[in-house]
């Protein structure tokens, strides 16, 4: 008598975890992102659940067998390598003739992890205006940065430019890691030589870089003032009370 077995899934379709594939036409050959992968397949008659695992295309196991009860999974706890190819293995299990049974495993056709998108980046600065010479209510401004990337951030750097476009202050590079970062730094309105800058508008440009070398640039504009004020109306001259000398 031939032994009864559970059939394996017919096909396993790779996804990025944001949708459910309904045919091989939806299968992804490239996935952008290093943390999240999904896959799904059609249900197998007689199966009570499924085991899956993730491997490199040369057989290195990335995740041990894990169980799901329907024909799909999403993993968002991974640390994959850009440019590497991965496959998903799936096997069905259930009971046949009162005995536990497991199907042969089926592999997806695989996907490569890619990075085609620069980081997202926003920059803001407050307060503005500010008075580096100490004559007004604020002597410095705080520049806030918020950035994110699907494969991983490496660093960001910043420079301040005069309205003419001439660079006046370099803030250097700050190393960051992970998929998102929120940070800030302070500018005292001085140039690279330590001198207080003339009143006017200044642009602070920030550049964020990810693991693949993609760059994003964003900026914020601030107004530098001093005691004399200016002709824009943004900086008011500071009036000093001479007093009666007592």
């Amino acid at each position: 008598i031939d032994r009864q077995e559970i059939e394996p899934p017919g096909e396993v379709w790779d996804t990025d975890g944001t949708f459910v594939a309904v045919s091989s036409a939806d299968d992804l050959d490239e996935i952008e992102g290093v943390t999240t992968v999904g896959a799904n397949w059609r249900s197998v008659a007689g199966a009570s659940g499924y085991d899956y695992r993730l491997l490199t295309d040369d057989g290195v196991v990335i995740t041990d067998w894990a169980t799901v009860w329907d024909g799909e999974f999403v993993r968002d706890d991974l640390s994959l390598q850009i440019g590497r190819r991965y496959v998903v293995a799936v096997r069905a299990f259930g009971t046949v003739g009162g005995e536990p049974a497991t199907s042969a495993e089926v592999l997806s056709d695989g996907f490569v992890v890619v990075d085609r998108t620069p980081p997202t980046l926003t920059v803001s600065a407050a307060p503005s205006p500010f008075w580096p010479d100490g004559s007004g209510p604020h002597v410095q401004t705080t520049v806030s940065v918020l950035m994110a990337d699907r494969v991983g951030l490496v660093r960001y750097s910043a420079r301040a430019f005069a309205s003419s476009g001439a660079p006046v202050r370099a803030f250097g590079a700050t190393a960051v890691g992970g998929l998102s970062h929120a940070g800030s730094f302070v500018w005292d309105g001085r140039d690279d030589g330590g001198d207080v800058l003339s009143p006017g508008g200044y642009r602070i440009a920030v550049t964020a870089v990810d693991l693949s070398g993609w760059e994003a640039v964003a900026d914020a504009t601030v107004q530098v003032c001093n005691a004399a004020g200016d002709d824009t109306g943004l900086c008011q001259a500071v009036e000093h009370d001479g007093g009666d000398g007592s």
Side-chain angles (χ1 to χ4, degrees), residues 95-117:
T95 301
V96 176
E99 297 292 330
T102 301
S103 77
E105 67 179 56
V106 175
L107 299 179
S108 69
D109 65 358
F111 61 90
V112 176
V113 176
V114 299
D115 181 17
R116 305 192 187 284
T117 307

Side-chain angles (χ1 to χ4, degrees), residues 119-188:
T120 60
L121 173 64
T122 58
V123 181
S124 60
S128 176
F130 66 106
W131 288 258
D133 65 355
S135 63
H138 309 292
V139 298
Q140 61 189 22
T141 190
T142 298
V143 182
S144 300
V145 296
L146 180 63
M147 60 193 72
D149 190 72
R150 297 188 68 175
V151 303
L153 298 160
V154 174
R155 65 183 179 276
Y156 72 90
S157 58
R159 299 188 77 177
F161 297 85
S163 58
S164 65
V168 295
R169 178 72 177 269
F171 299 96
T174 300
V176 294
L179 301 181
S180 62
H181 175 77
S184 64
F185 59 93
V186 170
W187 184 33
D188 58 5

Side-chain angles (χ1 to χ4, degrees), residues 127-132 187 199-202 221-225 230 232 234-235:
S128 176
F130 66 106
W131 288 258
W187 184 33
Y202 292 84
T221 300
V222 295
Q223 186 75 22
V224 170
C225 298
D230 65 9
T232 67
L234 297 174
C235 299

Side-chain angles (χ1 to χ4, degrees), residues 20-230:
V20 174
V22 297
S23 72
S24 58
D26 299 324
D27 176 80
L28 297 181
D29 295 324
E30 295 182 344
I31 291 179
E32 187 171 5
V34 297
T35 62
T36 305
V37 167
N40 64 275
W41 52 91
R42 292 193 177 98
S43 298
V44 175
S48 57
Y50 305 89
D51 296 323
Y52 74 88
R53 63 178 177 174
L54 182 67
L55 310 93
T56 63
D57 63 350
D58 55 359
V60 177
V61 176
I62 304 302
T63 65
D64 291 330
W65 289 108
T67 299
V68 293
W69 304 108
D70 49 19
E72 64 179 287
F73 76 87
V74 176
R75 288 288 293 263
D76 60 1
D77 58 348
L78 304 171
S79 183
L80 306 180
Q81 297 179 20
I82 299 171
R84 190 107 193 230
R85 187 174 186 82
Y86 298 88
V87 296
V88 175
V90 178
R91 63 190 183 191
F93 63 84
T95 301
V96 176
E99 297 292 330
T102 301
S103 77
E105 67 179 56
V106 175
L107 299 179
S108 69
D109 65 358
F111 61 90
V112 176
V113 176
V114 299
D115 181 17
R116 305 192 187 284
T117 307
T120 60
L121 173 64
T122 58
V123 181
S124 60
S128 176
F130 66 106
W131 288 258
D133 65 355
S135 63
H138 309 292
V139 298
Q140 61 189 22
T141 190
T142 298
V143 182
S144 300
V145 296
L146 180 63
M147 60 193 72
D149 190 72
R150 297 188 68 175
V151 303
L153 298 160
V154 174
R155 65 183 179 276
Y156 72 90
S157 58
R159 299 188 77 177
F161 297 85
S163 58
S164 65
V168 295
R169 178 72 177 269
F171 299 96
T174 300
V176 294
L179 301 181
S180 62
H181 175 77
S184 64
F185 59 93
V186 170
W187 184 33
D188 58 5
R190 297 175 183 269
D191 62 18
D192 286 323
D195 296 322
V196 174
L197 290 163
S198 302
Y202 292 84
R203 181 173 64 90
I204 303 172
V206 177
T207 302
V209 183
D210 73 6
L211 285 168
S212 296
W214 286 100
E215 295 185 354
V217 180
D219 57 34
T221 300
V222 295
Q223 186 75 22
V224 170
C225 298
N226 66 15
D230 65 9

